[in-house]
Structure formats: structure tokens, C-alpha cells
Amino acid sequence: MRFSLALPRDALSIPVVRRVTGDALRGLGVSEDCVDDLLVAISEACTNVVQHARATGEYEVTGHVDDGACMLKIMDWGGGPRPAPEDRGVLSESGRGIRIMRALVDDLDIDSSPDRGTVVHLRKRLTWSDGALVRRLDRSLMHNAG
């Protein structure tokens, strides 16, 4: 499964990303805990684009599920993450997004350059609900191949 979205760099686009991503993963039968982790991580990445990208216009989100993992890519044309100050304090309202993403996914990679923009790669191994479409397809394919 693959999906691709081109969105305005606006806070109202983030619920759209969450809805499309969540519906796609739930439709495949990904467990709710796993979907929740991915939705928080992608929300953090998109929020960073909306708040910090220096470029105007759009950003892109792509998703790919293959081989038991979900890969999400968030691309903008801004200048990349700003260096975090030494200590924002426990009650700080910002500066935690990268830590949150890192805690929720198996792999996080941020590729950034001033002339190309920023690409955030999120990868998470998926866990499945009992009636997952993917499991039914696997059984059906194995039975038909027999």
C-alpha cells in the first residue's frame, strides 16, 4: 500500500494527514497501539514543517507499507531543524518533537540542507490486529499457491 499527499503548509493540514494515515493503517488491520504511535510521530513531523519550515507553499507526505513495516516520509523545502537550546526546562511547550518521534518509531532519519529542504523518514515495524486484512490475504495466497 502506498499513498501520497501534497498539502498546504497550514495547521489545518495536520488532521488530514492523521485521518488519511490512520484510515489506511486501520483498513489493513494494523493494531490500534501501533496506529496511535505512528499518528503521534507523523503529527510531530508535520507540526515541525508548519511551524519551522522557512519556505512557503506546500509540503508532501508519503506512506508505504511493505514487508511488515510502515515507512512515512515528510518533505518540505525549508532549512531544516534548528539546533535545540541546551535546556528548555521540564515545562517547555516546544522542543520535544524529535525525541517524541524517536521514542515512537523504530527508525528516524532527518536529511536536511538549506538548498534542498528537509526530509523526515519514519519507519516502524507493524503489529496487527486479530482480523487483519494482511493476515487474511497471506493465508489466501498461501492456500491458492498450494
Side-chain angles (χ1 to χ4, degrees), residues 23-144:
D23 286 353
L25 294 171
R26 286 182 191 101
L28 291 174
V30 175
S31 71
E32 199 59 37
D33 288 345
C34 193
V35 171
D36 290 345
D37 287 350
L38 284 163
L39 293 182
V40 171
I42 201 168
S43 294
E44 288 294 333
C46 292
T47 298
N48 285 344
V49 169
V50 168
Q51 291 180 348
H52 303 298
R54 292 186 201 115
T56 59
E58 295 183 339
Y59 69 104
E60 294 180 16
V61 175
T62 62
H64 176 77
V65 173
D66 190 23
D67 222 11
C70 178
M71 285 73 67
L72 299 169
K73 184 164 58 169
I74 301 89
M75 300 162 283
D76 71 60
W77 293 269
R82 295 178 298 197
E86 297 280 325
D87 183 14
R88 289 186 182 254
V90 178
L91 300 176
S92 174
E93 294 275 331
S94 65
R96 297 185 195 145
I98 292 174
R99 283 190 203 148
I100 290 169
M101 288 186 281
R102 201 174 302 283
L104 295 172
V105 299
D106 298 308
D107 297 307
L108 167 67
D109 182 58
I110 301 172
D111 180 25
S112 183
S113 75
D115 55 330
R116 286 191 330 260
T118 301
V119 180
V120 175
H121 299 268
L122 304 168
R123 182 183 170 283
K124 183 168 181 74
R125 288 181 302 274
L126 298 174
T127 56
W128 305 98
S129 60
D130 291 337
L133 174 62
V134 171
R135 286 185 179 175
R136 291 191 309 240
L137 284 174
D138 283 346
R139 273 186 252 135
S140 173
L141 291 173
M142 289 186 356
H143 177 49
N144 290 336

